[in-house]
Amino acid sequence: MKIITILFLLGGFFFTAVAAIGVIRFPDFYTRLHAAGKGDTLGMALSIIGLAIYHGFNLVSLKLLLIVFFIFLANPLGTHVLSRAALKTGIQPWTRKGE
């Protein structure tokens, strides 16, 4: 059981770290938002699922799984709202020079 927990926690750390690198490396607001939205959602979900597995099947793990459900609903919705607001305020997506 501990090995599965460690795998989930390492997976969560990996996706969160890749999302952080994507936020630093990508060229514009939209690609950075995409990296943050996808990577953080999966990274947090894997980490919290790992904690739920560590605690076993009880009330704490049920609460943690409800948090994962809320994350899967809230993070994509938040990134979508932010990207629509940015587009409406005039922030243009990045394109290569000459295209």
Side-chain angles (χ1 to χ4, degrees):
M1 205 56 125
K2 287 186 180 183
I3 293 174
I4 296 172
T5 300
I6 291 171
L7 288 175
F8 271 97
L9 290 175
L10 286 175
F13 171 74
F14 172 75
F15 281 106
T16 304
V18 168
I21 292 169
V23 168
I24 293 170
R25 297 283 300 166
F26 282 149
D28 72 333
F29 176 77
Y30 298 105
T31 54
R32 290 176 182 171
L33 189 64
H34 179 76
K38 301 291 183 194
D40 286 346
T41 301
L42 189 57
M44 285 189 295
L46 287 175
S47 298
I48 294 171
I49 289 170
L51 291 174
I53 292 171
Y54 179 74
H55 281 287
F57 296 110
N58 57 16
L59 187 61
V60 173
S61 63
L62 177 66
K63 289 177 183 179
L64 288 171
L65 293 176
L66 285 173
I67 291 171
V68 169
F69 178 72
F70 177 72
I71 287 171
F72 272 119
L73 288 178
N75 280 359
L77 182 67
T79 54
H80 179 75
V81 168
L82 280 173
S83 64
R84 281 186 58 94
L87 191 62
K88 285 188 178 190
T89 59
I91 298 176
Q92 294 298 318
W94 176 82
T95 57
R96 292 185 182 185
K97 301 216 186 296
E99 286 187 14

